[in-house]
């Protein structure tokens, strides 16, 4: 891994290859290594799985989706992993919203949602890249060899990476105790 910059997709694939004793590759475009191609595919799948939960970096609240002008359907961006409508009882079906109460795909006004986006690996913050790389490395090793000994090492790394990501998420989502609105209101009332 290159420790002078954030983890790249190439760094993550090479970490995965190292878990099974394979030599590192110099480019993700080189299709000569079947193991590297499988590792890249697994990395993408694990990234999708990790991001689906919704973290501070890929979740947007108050996001407005507008019905298209032709069919009045609310189409969602193609990189949408999860969507929670705030004002109506609707669900994501395929690439568009479906109004459960009215039994229709037709909407007459914008819909406000909480939306979770799938981001490319290089757009993830370092704690997320680290978790994705280590979880993918563990899963890659388990599928290739199934070694309990090797799995124990990678599970430990994965556990640390998950703790780091959860801590970063909590830090990003929690207002500072001194500037949070509830705390500030309590101080104001006491004055």
């Amino acid at each position: 891994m290159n420790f002078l910059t954030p983890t790249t997709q190439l760094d993550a694939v090479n970490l995965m290859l190292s878990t099974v004793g394979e030599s590192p590759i110099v480019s993700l475009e080189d299709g000569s290594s079947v193991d590297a191609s499988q590792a890249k595919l697994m990395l993408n799948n694990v990234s999708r799985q990790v991001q689906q939960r919704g973290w501070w970096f890929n979740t947007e609240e108050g996001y407005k989706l507008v019905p298209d002008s032709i069919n009045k359907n609310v189409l969602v961006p193609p990189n949408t992993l999860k969507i929670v409508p705030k004002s109506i009882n609707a669900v994501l079906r395929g690439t568009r919203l479906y109004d459960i109460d009215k039994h229709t795909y037709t909407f007459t006004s914008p819909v406000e949602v909480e939306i979770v986006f799938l981001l490319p690996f290089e757009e993830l913050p370092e704690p997320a890249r680290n978790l994705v790389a280590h979880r993918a490395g563990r899963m890659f090793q388990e599928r290739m060899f199934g070694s309990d000994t090797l799995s124990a090492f990678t599970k430990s790394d994965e556990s640390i990476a998950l703790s780091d990501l959860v801590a970063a998420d909590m830090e990003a989502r929690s207002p500072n105790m001194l500037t949070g609105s509830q705390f500030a209101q309590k101080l104001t009332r006491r004055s």
Side-chain angles (χ1 to χ4, degrees):
M1 270 201 220
N2 181 353
F3 292 102
L4 299 176
T5 61
T7 305
T8 65
Q9 196 172 23
L10 177 62
D11 293 333
V13 167
N14 281 331
L15 179 134
M16 294 170 68
L17 292 172
S18 74
T19 66
V20 295
E22 289 287 325
S23 298
I25 58 172
V26 291
S27 169
L28 291 173
E29 311 313 318
D30 179 12
S32 63
S33 170
V34 174
D35 287 345
S37 296
Q38 290 176 343
K40 184 178 175 187
L41 180 62
M42 181 167 289
L43 184 73
N44 290 334
N45 289 336
V46 170
S47 181
R48 188 177 299 108
Q49 175 193 48
V50 167
Q51 290 186 60
Q52 185 174 336
R53 171 181 171 184
W55 302 89
W56 85 96
F57 59 85
N58 71 333
T59 302
E60 293 190 31
E61 300 212 19
Y63 195 89
K64 293 217 189 259
L65 296 170
V66 180
D68 68 28
S69 58
I70 299 171
N71 299 318
K72 301 294 185 201
N73 289 173
V74 173
L75 302 174
V76 300
N79 64 330
T80 300
L81 290 174
K82 183 168 71 174
I83 201 161
V84 179
K86 294 299 178 183
S87 55
I88 62 167
N89 188 18
V91 295
L92 177 61
R93 288 192 178 168
T95 59
R96 55 194 177 150
L97 283 185
Y98 179 79
D99 187 324
I100 294 174
D101 293 334
K102 295 180 181 175
H103 312 290
T104 184
Y105 288 101
T106 304
F107 291 84
T108 56
S109 59
V111 179
E112 186 176 321
V113 299
E114 175 183 306
I115 192 166
V116 176
F117 289 108
L118 175 64
L119 303 177
F121 188 84
E122 275 77 11
E123 289 184 20
L124 301 178
E126 186 61 22
R129 293 182 194 197
N130 197 23
L131 174 60
V132 169
H134 285 289
R135 181 171 291 169
R138 176 187 55 79
M139 292 172 67
F140 187 67
Q141 181 281 132
E142 287 175 352
R143 293 211 174 120
M144 296 291 284
F145 290 120
S147 167
D148 291 338
T149 304
L150 291 175
S151 187
F153 289 120
T154 55
K155 278 183 184 176
S156 174
D157 292 338
E158 179 185 347
S159 181
I160 291 167
L162 177 59
S163 293
D164 290 346
L165 181 57
V166 168
D169 188 64
M170 288 174 56
E171 183 178 330
R173 290 181 191 254
S174 299
N176 181 312
M177 186 173 165
L178 297 176
T179 61
S181 60
Q182 291 177 351
F183 185 76
Q185 288 172 2
K186 287 179 185 177
L187 284 178
T188 306
R189 280 189 228 134
R190 289 182 184 169
S191 305

